Amino acid sequence: MKTSRKTTGEFDVRVWSGGAGSPVLYLHGFEQHPGDAPFLRKLAQTHEVMAPEHPGYGSSTGFERLHDLQDLILYYRTLVDSWGKGPVDVIGHSLGGMFAAELAVMAPHLVRKLVLVSPYGLWIDDQPLADPFVLLPPQFAAAKWHDPSKAANETSAFDAAEGESAANYRTVNLTTAAKFMWPIPDKGLSRRLSYLTAPTLVIHGESDGLVPASYDQAWARALPQATTVRIPGAGHMPMVEAEGAFTSLVNDFLG
Amino acid sequence: MKFHWFAEATYPHLPADYHERKLSSWVDTPWDLADPVKVGQMYHMFIRLMQQADRDGFDGLAVNEHHQTPFAMTPSPNLLAASLASTTQNAAILIIGDSLALYNPPTRVAEEMAYLDCVSGGRVIAGFVFGTPMDSVFAYGNSPPELRERFHEARGLITRAWTEPKPFSFNGKYNQLRYVNIWPRPIQPKLPIWVPGSGSLETWDLVIDQNYCYGHLSFSGLHSAKPMVDAYWEYVDQRGGDMNPHRMAFTQLVCCAATDAEAEAKYYDAVRYFYRNNSIGPGFLAAPGYTTIRSQQAMAQHIQNNAANLKPEDRARAAAGEMSFWEYDEKGYIIAGTPERVRQRVRELATDLRIGQLIGCLHMGDLAEETAAENTYLFGTEVIPHLRDLWADQPDHWTPKVSQDRVAARSQATKEAAQ
């Protein structure tokens, strides 16, 4: 995967891209962009992958332009349009799952197939999600991972050469996440899901303590066309903890 | 120099093992630890004490806003202020302050402060606060990166609502009001405005640009605050701001008694209660985007700069209630002892930090009312009159003219009656 910067209007965004095949847009989760991640490289063997770092994350700019979720989805609509590939497949992980679903609602002509991985966006009153902004590091790791010792396998877009500290990088990222997840990561998507018509695959890690796999029932109810799959031995990061199972599920679905 | 009476309305009947239970004292503290009947009695006690402070020579009665905590059970400062505005005569009603982002629409702040200014005869000081992370982003659910924007939008709306002669429309990012035309409006043509902070550079810019009174409302005293307050004044100076000490407020726990030994006997338990029972769950201490990275770096530098005077382990011991009474005093957390000793230590503090508005915490923790009443009397009659010379050469534009005049007149009358 190679990195570049892509300027769209007032947004200047870091992008990881590579591979050949049908076009896939990957939208990362609430903590960070995974950088040159093994699972992205694997997807790039059969797809042309574009993985932008959300505005407001890392060194991607434009956070101050985002008043609400709609502004961000319009940005992604413009980005996909300017890619010039016609409709693309969209994979969204975690908070990126919420963004991907919103994009499929707002711009159905641009989204061919949709993959939602451990997606935020729904809220079930009697199954309240853990608060990722309050959990202390050990509890957070326990919720995020099936096996917290696998945390070292997670890749990151953090680049010390850019002059920021790792702590500041994380603060910048979580500040942007807070914009869309605070205090409850439900910004009305459930009202809009009836407009989502793309074929959809919903993947959950069986041991995800942040977005429990049981949430897949709500997705299935809202999206009759969706297939739901739970990956064993994985938490909130199935593409890291169960990379093989994850990539073959995704490739089979996207075709 | 001005002196304001203040207390955190701390619930005084927490179980003895509360600290050991490691509960967060904010946000999700279980309510079943408290008895609402006793809460009511506590509120009455604070009202009585502040009415006394009004008679005993204090310049202001300070009320504040916190949420979901037994440490400070004052969800709306305006409610307590209303009790005081109609039952006191002299002191300023120092609302320090309303958490602007939490009032929807913020014209409610403009209206309620105007009401209080009318009832008190022009004695209101308008304090605007961001609110702690526990209050504003956890208890009240504001998205942290939006909090400051909401605050500033509300501040603009409120100050305009007080002064704009004709109805106007307000089309903000967070507030849309087709008709702004508040009734009542304040008596004071320009309400004094105070904005407390904990070192954010953006807040420093605000108070310098608007010439507001800045407040550092810590409970950790001189040594903890010194690097930050010094840096603040240096920043004001660099930016060509007003160096008048009357535009700097500081909180200080005060424990006054006839003898030093009596002070220790009467206050030590309450001081420990105050510190050890305020244990904020670590997850609620901060939120991403609440403080900018620029300010985080500046604040970290202040803490590093004062490590010589106040070691991290000292801070931990103070918070755990593990210091001796006189160690709390030595480290600056409290100023304790006879009125003579307190006088001298307050003089040093005010001079060292360049403070013209001292917000004295005359009640803390589970202190007995009679001790707080004695504290109030001793401080009001034997400390304040001896410190009036401090900064007397500089005008105070940050307290109401009415309260300045009435407090001075009452002090004169008391003096004459004594002769």
PDB file of all heavy atoms in Angstrom, chain A residues 63-64 66-67 131 133-134 136 164 168 171-172 174-175 178-179 182-183, chain B residues 137-138 141-146 173 282-284 287-289 293 296-297:
ATOM      1  N   PHE A  63     -11.395  18.886  10.154  1.00  0.00           N
ATOM      2  CA  PHE A  63     -12.302  18.619  11.277  1.00  0.00           C
ATOM      3  C   PHE A  63     -13.219  19.807  11.550  1.00  0.00           C
ATOM      4  O   PHE A  63     -14.408  19.648  11.826  1.00  0.00           O
ATOM      5  CB  PHE A  63     -11.489  18.270  12.523  1.00  0.00           C
ATOM      6  CG  PHE A  63     -12.335  17.954  13.728  1.00  0.00           C
ATOM      7  CD1 PHE A  63     -13.210  16.885  13.710  1.00  0.00           C
ATOM      8  CD2 PHE A  63     -12.263  18.726  14.879  1.00  0.00           C
ATOM      9  CE1 PHE A  63     -14.004  16.577  14.811  1.00  0.00           C
ATOM     10  CE2 PHE A  63     -13.049  18.442  15.985  1.00  0.00           C
ATOM     11  CZ  PHE A  63     -13.915  17.355  15.943  1.00  0.00           C
ATOM     12  N   GLU A  64     -12.653  21.014  11.461  1.00  0.00           N
ATOM     13  CA  GLU A  64     -13.448  22.203  11.793  1.00  0.00           C
ATOM     14  C   GLU A  64     -14.553  22.454  10.773  1.00  0.00           C
ATOM     15  O   GLU A  64     -15.462  23.221  11.029  1.00  0.00           O
ATOM     16  CB  GLU A  64     -12.533  23.437  11.958  1.00  0.00           C
ATOM     17  CG  GLU A  64     -11.729  23.852  10.730  1.00  0.00           C
ATOM     18  CD  GLU A  64     -10.604  22.875  10.360  1.00  0.00           C
ATOM     19  OE1 GLU A  64     -10.161  22.093  11.226  1.00  0.00           O
ATOM     20  OE2 GLU A  64     -10.175  22.898   9.186  1.00  0.00           O
ATOM     21  N   LEU A  66     -16.541  20.079   9.858  1.00  0.00           N
ATOM     22  CA  LEU A  66     -17.582  19.080  10.120  1.00  0.00           C
ATOM     23  C   LEU A  66     -18.486  19.560  11.243  1.00  0.00           C
ATOM     24  O   LEU A  66     -18.118  19.500  12.412  1.00  0.00           O
ATOM     25  CB  LEU A  66     -16.947  17.738  10.511  1.00  0.00           C
ATOM     26  CG  LEU A  66     -15.942  17.148   9.514  1.00  0.00           C
ATOM     27  CD1 LEU A  66     -15.271  15.920  10.111  1.00  0.00           C
ATOM     28  CD2 LEU A  66     -16.640  16.789   8.207  1.00  0.00           C
ATOM     29  N   HIS A  67     -19.642  20.065  10.891  1.00  0.00           N
ATOM     30  CA  HIS A  67     -20.604  20.436  11.927  1.00  0.00           C
ATOM     31  C   HIS A  67     -21.320  19.184  12.427  1.00  0.00           C
ATOM     32  O   HIS A  67     -21.512  18.989  13.612  1.00  0.00           O
ATOM     33  CB  HIS A  67     -21.601  21.452  11.372  1.00  0.00           C
ATOM     34  CG  HIS A  67     -22.603  21.917  12.387  1.00  0.00           C
ATOM     35  ND1 HIS A  67     -23.320  23.069  12.242  1.00  0.00           N
ATOM     36  CD2 HIS A  67     -23.005  21.389  13.560  1.00  0.00           C
ATOM     37  CE1 HIS A  67     -24.116  23.219  13.290  1.00  0.00           C
ATOM     38  NE2 HIS A  67     -23.955  22.217  14.091  1.00  0.00           N
ATOM     39  N   ASP A 131     -18.713   2.293  27.409  1.00  0.00           N
ATOM     40  CA  ASP A 131     -18.277   3.633  27.021  1.00  0.00           C
ATOM     41  C   ASP A 131     -16.773   3.606  26.752  1.00  0.00           C
ATOM     42  O   ASP A 131     -15.974   3.585  27.678  1.00  0.00           O
ATOM     43  CB  ASP A 131     -18.605   4.625  28.141  1.00  0.00           C
ATOM     44  CG  ASP A 131     -18.326   6.061  27.728  1.00  0.00           C
ATOM     45  OD1 ASP A 131     -17.615   6.261  26.712  1.00  0.00           O
ATOM     46  OD2 ASP A 131     -18.803   6.975  28.414  1.00  0.00           O
ATOM     47  N   PHE A 133     -14.776   5.772  25.949  1.00  0.00           N
ATOM     48  CA  PHE A 133     -14.025   6.954  26.381  1.00  0.00           C
ATOM     49  C   PHE A 133     -13.764   6.941  27.884  1.00  0.00           C
ATOM     50  O   PHE A 133     -13.042   7.783  28.396  1.00  0.00           O
ATOM     51  CB  PHE A 133     -14.786   8.223  25.997  1.00  0.00           C
ATOM     52  CG  PHE A 133     -14.996   8.358  24.525  1.00  0.00           C
ATOM     53  CD1 PHE A 133     -16.229   8.076  23.955  1.00  0.00           C
ATOM     54  CD2 PHE A 133     -13.950   8.722  23.692  1.00  0.00           C
ATOM     55  CE1 PHE A 133     -16.426   8.191  22.586  1.00  0.00           C
ATOM     56  CE2 PHE A 133     -14.131   8.832  22.325  1.00  0.00           C
ATOM     57  CZ  PHE A 133     -15.366   8.560  21.764  1.00  0.00           C
ATOM     58  N   VAL A 134     -14.394   6.028  28.595  1.00  0.00           N
ATOM     59  CA  VAL A 134     -14.267   6.014  30.048  1.00  0.00           C
ATOM     60  C   VAL A 134     -13.493   4.796  30.539  1.00  0.00           C
ATOM     61  O   VAL A 134     -12.816   4.850  31.566  1.00  0.00           O
ATOM     62  CB  VAL A 134     -15.673   6.072  30.702  1.00  0.00           C
ATOM     63  CG1 VAL A 134     -15.614   5.736  32.176  1.00  0.00           C
ATOM     64  CG2 VAL A 134     -16.277   7.459  30.507  1.00  0.00           C
ATOM     65  N   LEU A 136     -10.807   2.284  31.491  1.00  0.00           N
ATOM     66  CA  LEU A 136      -9.367   2.437  31.717  1.00  0.00           C
ATOM     67  C   LEU A 136      -8.626   1.412  30.854  1.00  0.00           C
ATOM     68  O   LEU A 136      -9.214   0.398  30.449  1.00  0.00           O
ATOM     69  CB  LEU A 136      -9.061   2.238  33.196  1.00  0.00           C
ATOM     70  CG  LEU A 136      -9.770   3.248  34.094  1.00  0.00           C
ATOM     71  CD1 LEU A 136      -9.439   2.993  35.550  1.00  0.00           C
ATOM     72  CD2 LEU A 136      -9.402   4.678  33.713  1.00  0.00           C
ATOM     73  N   GLU A 164       4.556  14.394  15.797  1.00  0.00           N
ATOM     74  CA  GLU A 164       3.614  14.339  16.918  1.00  0.00           C
ATOM     75  C   GLU A 164       3.994  13.184  17.849  1.00  0.00           C
ATOM     76  O   GLU A 164       4.601  12.198  17.421  1.00  0.00           O
ATOM     77  CB  GLU A 164       2.192  14.104  16.392  1.00  0.00           C
ATOM     78  CG  GLU A 164       1.461  15.369  15.979  1.00  0.00           C
ATOM     79  CD  GLU A 164       1.161  16.330  17.120  1.00  0.00           C
ATOM     80  OE1 GLU A 164       1.426  15.975  18.299  1.00  0.00           O
ATOM     81  OE2 GLU A 164       0.687  17.434  16.831  1.00  0.00           O
ATOM     82  N   ASN A 168      -0.474  12.446  21.621  1.00  0.00           N
ATOM     83  CA  ASN A 168      -1.225  13.488  20.909  1.00  0.00           C
ATOM     84  C   ASN A 168      -1.984  12.924  19.713  1.00  0.00           C
ATOM     85  O   ASN A 168      -3.108  13.339  19.423  1.00  0.00           O
ATOM     86  CB  ASN A 168      -0.286  14.599  20.442  1.00  0.00           C
ATOM     87  CG  ASN A 168       0.172  15.467  21.594  1.00  0.00           C
ATOM     88  OD1 ASN A 168      -0.302  15.313  22.722  1.00  0.00           O
ATOM     89  ND2 ASN A 168       1.091  16.361  21.334  1.00  0.00           N
ATOM     90  N   THR A 171      -5.046  11.458  21.069  1.00  0.00           N
ATOM     91  CA  THR A 171      -5.991  12.496  21.500  1.00  0.00           C
ATOM     92  C   THR A 171      -6.707  13.107  20.302  1.00  0.00           C
ATOM     93  O   THR A 171      -7.928  13.309  20.321  1.00  0.00           O
ATOM     94  CB  THR A 171      -5.253  13.600  22.287  1.00  0.00           C
ATOM     95  OG1 THR A 171      -4.651  13.001  23.433  1.00  0.00           O
ATOM     96  CG2 THR A 171      -6.204  14.691  22.741  1.00  0.00           C
ATOM     97  N   VAL A 172      -5.937  13.404  19.256  1.00  0.00           N
ATOM     98  CA  VAL A 172      -6.529  13.981  18.045  1.00  0.00           C
ATOM     99  C   VAL A 172      -7.579  13.020  17.478  1.00  0.00           C
ATOM    100  O   VAL A 172      -8.705  13.409  17.154  1.00  0.00           O
ATOM    101  CB  VAL A 172      -5.420  14.265  16.998  1.00  0.00           C
ATOM    102  CG1 VAL A 172      -6.019  14.484  15.616  1.00  0.00           C
ATOM    103  CG2 VAL A 172      -4.603  15.478  17.428  1.00  0.00           C
ATOM    104  N   LEU A 174      -9.241  10.528  18.983  1.00  0.00           N
ATOM    105  CA  LEU A 174     -10.417  10.309  19.834  1.00  0.00           C
ATOM    106  C   LEU A 174     -11.278  11.568  19.942  1.00  0.00           C
ATOM    107  O   LEU A 174     -12.483  11.487  20.183  1.00  0.00           O
ATOM    108  CB  LEU A 174      -9.994   9.805  21.220  1.00  0.00           C
ATOM    109  CG  LEU A 174      -9.400   8.392  21.223  1.00  0.00           C
ATOM    110  CD1 LEU A 174      -9.154   7.905  22.649  1.00  0.00           C
ATOM    111  CD2 LEU A 174     -10.293   7.389  20.493  1.00  0.00           C
ATOM    112  N   THR A 175     -10.658  12.730  19.769  1.00  0.00           N
ATOM    113  CA  THR A 175     -11.447  13.967  19.735  1.00  0.00           C
ATOM    114  C   THR A 175     -12.411  13.924  18.552  1.00  0.00           C
ATOM    115  O   THR A 175     -13.595  14.255  18.681  1.00  0.00           O
ATOM    116  CB  THR A 175     -10.511  15.189  19.619  1.00  0.00           C
ATOM    117  OG1 THR A 175      -9.692  15.244  20.785  1.00  0.00           O
ATOM    118  CG2 THR A 175     -11.308  16.484  19.490  1.00  0.00           C
ATOM    119  N   ALA A 178     -15.084  11.457  19.256  1.00  0.00           N
ATOM    120  CA  ALA A 178     -16.057  11.972  20.219  1.00  0.00           C
ATOM    121  C   ALA A 178     -17.118  12.826  19.530  1.00  0.00           C
ATOM    122  O   ALA A 178     -18.277  12.863  19.949  1.00  0.00           O
ATOM    123  CB  ALA A 178     -15.348  12.780  21.306  1.00  0.00           C
ATOM    124  N   LYS A 179     -16.702  13.495  18.474  1.00  0.00           N
ATOM    125  CA  LYS A 179     -17.651  14.324  17.721  1.00  0.00           C
ATOM    126  C   LYS A 179     -18.851  13.479  17.254  1.00  0.00           C
ATOM    127  O   LYS A 179     -19.975  13.949  17.243  1.00  0.00           O
ATOM    128  CB  LYS A 179     -16.911  14.919  16.523  1.00  0.00           C
ATOM    129  CG  LYS A 179     -17.766  15.664  15.543  1.00  0.00           C
ATOM    130  CD  LYS A 179     -17.878  17.103  15.932  1.00  0.00           C
ATOM    131  CE  LYS A 179     -18.869  17.832  15.041  1.00  0.00           C
ATOM    132  NZ  LYS A 179     -19.206  19.136  15.569  1.00  0.00           N
ATOM    133  N   TRP A 182     -20.275  10.731  20.814  1.00  0.00           N
ATOM    134  CA  TRP A 182     -20.594  11.232  22.152  1.00  0.00           C
ATOM    135  C   TRP A 182     -22.036  11.687  22.214  1.00  0.00           C
ATOM    136  O   TRP A 182     -22.473  12.329  21.269  1.00  0.00           O
ATOM    137  CB  TRP A 182     -19.680  12.425  22.477  1.00  0.00           C
ATOM    138  CG  TRP A 182     -19.516  12.642  23.927  1.00  0.00           C
ATOM    139  CD1 TRP A 182     -20.423  13.197  24.783  1.00  0.00           C
ATOM    140  CD2 TRP A 182     -18.377  12.280  24.711  1.00  0.00           C
ATOM    141  NE1 TRP A 182     -19.916  13.212  26.040  1.00  0.00           N
ATOM    142  CE2 TRP A 182     -18.677  12.665  26.033  1.00  0.00           C
ATOM    143  CE3 TRP A 182     -17.159  11.680  24.437  1.00  0.00           C
ATOM    144  CZ2 TRP A 182     -17.763  12.468  27.085  1.00  0.00           C
ATOM    145  CZ3 TRP A 182     -16.264  11.493  25.477  1.00  0.00           C
ATOM    146  CH2 TRP A 182     -16.570  11.884  26.782  1.00  0.00           C
ATOM    147  N   PRO A 183     -22.728  11.442  23.326  1.00  0.00           N
ATOM    148  CA  PRO A 183     -22.383  10.531  24.419  1.00  0.00           C
ATOM    149  C   PRO A 183     -22.845   9.110  24.117  1.00  0.00           C
ATOM    150  O   PRO A 183     -22.481   8.195  24.824  1.00  0.00           O
ATOM    151  CB  PRO A 183     -23.183  11.110  25.602  1.00  0.00           C
ATOM    152  CG  PRO A 183     -24.396  11.710  24.953  1.00  0.00           C
ATOM    153  CD  PRO A 183     -23.970  12.183  23.598  1.00  0.00           C
TER     154      PRO A 183
ATOM    155  N   VAL B 137     -19.409  17.075  30.102  1.00  0.00           N
ATOM    156  CA  VAL B 137     -19.399  16.085  29.030  1.00  0.00           C
ATOM    157  C   VAL B 137     -19.891  14.715  29.485  1.00  0.00           C
ATOM    158  O   VAL B 137     -20.460  13.979  28.674  1.00  0.00           O
ATOM    159  CB  VAL B 137     -18.022  15.976  28.325  1.00  0.00           C
ATOM    160  CG1 VAL B 137     -17.596  17.327  27.791  1.00  0.00           C
ATOM    161  CG2 VAL B 137     -16.965  15.394  29.204  1.00  0.00           C
ATOM    162  N   PHE B 138     -19.696  14.373  30.769  1.00  0.00           N
ATOM    163  CA  PHE B 138     -20.191  13.063  31.204  1.00  0.00           C
ATOM    164  C   PHE B 138     -21.620  13.162  31.755  1.00  0.00           C
ATOM    165  O   PHE B 138     -22.516  12.489  31.270  1.00  0.00           O
ATOM    166  CB  PHE B 138     -19.226  12.430  32.203  1.00  0.00           C
ATOM    167  CG  PHE B 138     -17.930  12.007  31.558  1.00  0.00           C
ATOM    168  CD1 PHE B 138     -16.754  12.679  31.796  1.00  0.00           C
ATOM    169  CD2 PHE B 138     -17.916  10.960  30.646  1.00  0.00           C
ATOM    170  CE1 PHE B 138     -15.569  12.309  31.161  1.00  0.00           C
ATOM    171  CE2 PHE B 138     -16.738  10.575  30.004  1.00  0.00           C
ATOM    172  CZ  PHE B 138     -15.562  11.254  30.269  1.00  0.00           C
ATOM    173  N   GLY B 141     -23.564  15.232  28.903  1.00  0.00           N
ATOM    174  CA  GLY B 141     -23.533  14.639  27.572  1.00  0.00           C
ATOM    175  C   GLY B 141     -23.091  15.528  26.422  1.00  0.00           C
ATOM    176  O   GLY B 141     -23.322  15.200  25.267  1.00  0.00           O
ATOM    177  N   ASN B 142     -22.433  16.654  26.734  1.00  0.00           N
ATOM    178  CA  ASN B 142     -21.915  17.470  25.633  1.00  0.00           C
ATOM    179  C   ASN B 142     -20.726  16.790  24.983  1.00  0.00           C
ATOM    180  O   ASN B 142     -19.837  16.303  25.672  1.00  0.00           O
ATOM    181  CB  ASN B 142     -21.435  18.831  26.157  1.00  0.00           C
ATOM    182  CG  ASN B 142     -22.507  19.873  26.112  1.00  0.00           C
ATOM    183  OD1 ASN B 142     -22.772  20.446  25.067  1.00  0.00           O
ATOM    184  ND2 ASN B 142     -23.140  20.093  27.247  1.00  0.00           N
ATOM    185  N   SER B 143     -20.687  16.816  23.663  1.00  0.00           N
ATOM    186  CA  SER B 143     -19.521  16.288  22.965  1.00  0.00           C
ATOM    187  C   SER B 143     -18.328  17.185  23.292  1.00  0.00           C
ATOM    188  O   SER B 143     -18.392  18.390  23.072  1.00  0.00           O
ATOM    189  CB  SER B 143     -19.798  16.282  21.466  1.00  0.00           C
ATOM    190  OG  SER B 143     -18.610  16.085  20.759  1.00  0.00           O
ATOM    191  N   PRO B 144     -17.234  16.608  23.833  1.00  0.00           N
ATOM    192  CA  PRO B 144     -16.149  17.476  24.308  1.00  0.00           C
ATOM    193  C   PRO B 144     -15.592  18.445  23.263  1.00  0.00           C
ATOM    194  O   PRO B 144     -15.355  19.602  23.593  1.00  0.00           O
ATOM    195  CB  PRO B 144     -15.083  16.512  24.838  1.00  0.00           C
ATOM    196  CG  PRO B 144     -15.581  15.141  24.584  1.00  0.00           C
ATOM    197  CD  PRO B 144     -17.007  15.196  24.177  1.00  0.00           C
ATOM    198  N   PRO B 145     -15.404  18.012  21.984  1.00  0.00           N
ATOM    199  CA  PRO B 145     -14.866  19.008  21.055  1.00  0.00           C
ATOM    200  C   PRO B 145     -15.850  20.136  20.724  1.00  0.00           C
ATOM    201  O   PRO B 145     -15.461  21.135  20.136  1.00  0.00           O
ATOM    202  CB  PRO B 145     -14.531  18.195  19.797  1.00  0.00           C
ATOM    203  CG  PRO B 145     -15.272  16.924  19.916  1.00  0.00           C
ATOM    204  CD  PRO B 145     -15.477  16.673  21.376  1.00  0.00           C
ATOM    205  N   GLU B 146     -17.111  19.998  21.125  1.00  0.00           N
ATOM    206  CA  GLU B 146     -18.082  21.064  20.847  1.00  0.00           C
ATOM    207  C   GLU B 146     -18.278  22.017  22.021  1.00  0.00           C
ATOM    208  O   GLU B 146     -18.878  23.080  21.873  1.00  0.00           O
ATOM    209  CB  GLU B 146     -19.450  20.450  20.494  1.00  0.00           C
ATOM    210  CG  GLU B 146     -19.457  19.729  19.167  1.00  0.00           C
ATOM    211  CD  GLU B 146     -20.808  19.086  18.840  1.00  0.00           C
ATOM    212  OE1 GLU B 146     -21.748  19.211  19.661  1.00  0.00           O
ATOM    213  OE2 GLU B 146     -20.903  18.468  17.786  1.00  0.00           O
ATOM    214  N   LYS B 173     -24.744  28.418  15.507  1.00  0.00           N
ATOM    215  CA  LYS B 173     -24.489  27.037  15.087  1.00  0.00           C
ATOM    216  C   LYS B 173     -25.283  26.083  15.971  1.00  0.00           C
ATOM    217  O   LYS B 173     -25.752  25.048  15.524  1.00  0.00           O
ATOM    218  CB  LYS B 173     -22.990  26.785  15.204  1.00  0.00           C
ATOM    219  CG  LYS B 173     -22.522  25.441  14.713  1.00  0.00           C
ATOM    220  CD  LYS B 173     -20.984  25.431  14.632  1.00  0.00           C
ATOM    221  CE  LYS B 173     -20.462  24.028  14.358  1.00  0.00           C
ATOM    222  NZ  LYS B 173     -18.981  23.984  14.351  1.00  0.00           N
ATOM    223  N   PRO B 282     -11.165   7.721  37.606  1.00  0.00           N
ATOM    224  CA  PRO B 282     -10.145   8.169  36.656  1.00  0.00           C
ATOM    225  C   PRO B 282     -10.661   8.281  35.219  1.00  0.00           C
ATOM    226  O   PRO B 282     -10.203   9.136  34.459  1.00  0.00           O
ATOM    227  CB  PRO B 282      -9.033   7.120  36.767  1.00  0.00           C
ATOM    228  CG  PRO B 282      -9.534   6.056  37.675  1.00  0.00           C
ATOM    229  CD  PRO B 282     -10.757   6.544  38.384  1.00  0.00           C
ATOM    230  N   GLY B 283     -11.641   7.463  34.860  1.00  0.00           N
ATOM    231  CA  GLY B 283     -12.191   7.550  33.506  1.00  0.00           C
ATOM    232  C   GLY B 283     -12.952   8.845  33.251  1.00  0.00           C
ATOM    233  O   GLY B 283     -13.183   9.228  32.108  1.00  0.00           O
ATOM    234  N   PHE B 284     -13.358   9.520  34.336  1.00  0.00           N
ATOM    235  CA  PHE B 284     -14.165  10.737  34.188  1.00  0.00           C
ATOM    236  C   PHE B 284     -13.344  12.028  34.312  1.00  0.00           C
ATOM    237  O   PHE B 284     -13.895  13.119  34.260  1.00  0.00           O
ATOM    238  CB  PHE B 284     -15.272  10.770  35.249  1.00  0.00           C
ATOM    239  CG  PHE B 284     -16.263   9.635  35.138  1.00  0.00           C
ATOM    240  CD1 PHE B 284     -16.612   8.890  36.256  1.00  0.00           C
ATOM    241  CD2 PHE B 284     -16.849   9.332  33.926  1.00  0.00           C
ATOM    242  CE1 PHE B 284     -17.528   7.848  36.169  1.00  0.00           C
ATOM    243  CE2 PHE B 284     -17.767   8.287  33.813  1.00  0.00           C
ATOM    244  CZ  PHE B 284     -18.104   7.546  34.944  1.00  0.00           C
ATOM    245  N   ALA B 287     -11.567  14.074  28.948  1.00  0.00           N
ATOM    246  CA  ALA B 287     -12.262  13.562  27.771  1.00  0.00           C
ATOM    247  C   ALA B 287     -11.544  14.114  26.556  1.00  0.00           C
ATOM    248  O   ALA B 287     -11.101  15.263  26.570  1.00  0.00           O
ATOM    249  CB  ALA B 287     -13.722  14.014  27.785  1.00  0.00           C
ATOM    250  N   PRO B 288     -11.417  13.301  25.497  1.00  0.00           N
ATOM    251  CA  PRO B 288     -10.669  13.769  24.329  1.00  0.00           C
ATOM    252  C   PRO B 288     -11.332  14.985  23.699  1.00  0.00           C
ATOM    253  O   PRO B 288     -12.518  14.961  23.410  1.00  0.00           O
ATOM    254  CB  PRO B 288     -10.699  12.566  23.374  1.00  0.00           C
ATOM    255  CG  PRO B 288     -11.824  11.702  23.840  1.00  0.00           C
ATOM    256  CD  PRO B 288     -11.953  11.939  25.308  1.00  0.00           C
ATOM    257  N   GLY B 289     -10.558  16.049  23.565  1.00  0.00           N
ATOM    258  CA  GLY B 289     -11.082  17.259  22.946  1.00  0.00           C
ATOM    259  C   GLY B 289     -11.557  18.286  23.961  1.00  0.00           C
ATOM    260  O   GLY B 289     -11.851  19.416  23.599  1.00  0.00           O
ATOM    261  N   ILE B 293      -4.636  20.322  22.666  1.00  0.00           N
ATOM    262  CA  ILE B 293      -3.289  19.784  22.875  1.00  0.00           C
ATOM    263  C   ILE B 293      -2.332  20.890  23.292  1.00  0.00           C
ATOM    264  O   ILE B 293      -1.500  20.715  24.173  1.00  0.00           O
ATOM    265  CB  ILE B 293      -2.828  19.061  21.594  1.00  0.00           C
ATOM    266  CG1 ILE B 293      -3.590  17.726  21.509  1.00  0.00           C
ATOM    267  CG2 ILE B 293      -1.332  18.817  21.600  1.00  0.00           C
ATOM    268  CD1 ILE B 293      -3.288  16.893  20.311  1.00  0.00           C
ATOM    269  N   GLN B 296      -2.940  21.387  26.909  1.00  0.00           N
ATOM    270  CA  GLN B 296      -2.463  20.223  27.668  1.00  0.00           C
ATOM    271  C   GLN B 296      -0.968  20.316  27.896  1.00  0.00           C
ATOM    272  O   GLN B 296      -0.474  20.037  28.983  1.00  0.00           O
ATOM    273  CB  GLN B 296      -2.746  18.936  26.893  1.00  0.00           C
ATOM    274  CG  GLN B 296      -4.139  18.381  27.095  1.00  0.00           C
ATOM    275  CD  GLN B 296      -4.327  17.070  26.331  1.00  0.00           C
ATOM    276  OE1 GLN B 296      -3.396  16.531  25.747  1.00  0.00           O
ATOM    277  NE2 GLN B 296      -5.544  16.571  26.343  1.00  0.00           N
ATOM    278  N   GLN B 297      -0.256  20.722  26.847  1.00  0.00           N
ATOM    279  CA  GLN B 297       1.198  20.794  26.966  1.00  0.00           C
ATOM    280  C   GLN B 297       1.598  21.876  27.958  1.00  0.00           C
ATOM    281  O   GLN B 297       2.477  21.682  28.794  1.00  0.00           O
ATOM    282  CB  GLN B 297       1.820  21.044  25.578  1.00  0.00           C
ATOM    283  CG  GLN B 297       1.769  19.783  24.720  1.00  0.00           C
ATOM    284  CD  GLN B 297       2.018  20.048  23.233  1.00  0.00           C
ATOM    285  OE1 GLN B 297       1.889  21.174  22.769  1.00  0.00           O
ATOM    286  NE2 GLN B 297       2.360  19.005  22.493  1.00  0.00           N
TER     287      GLN B 297
END
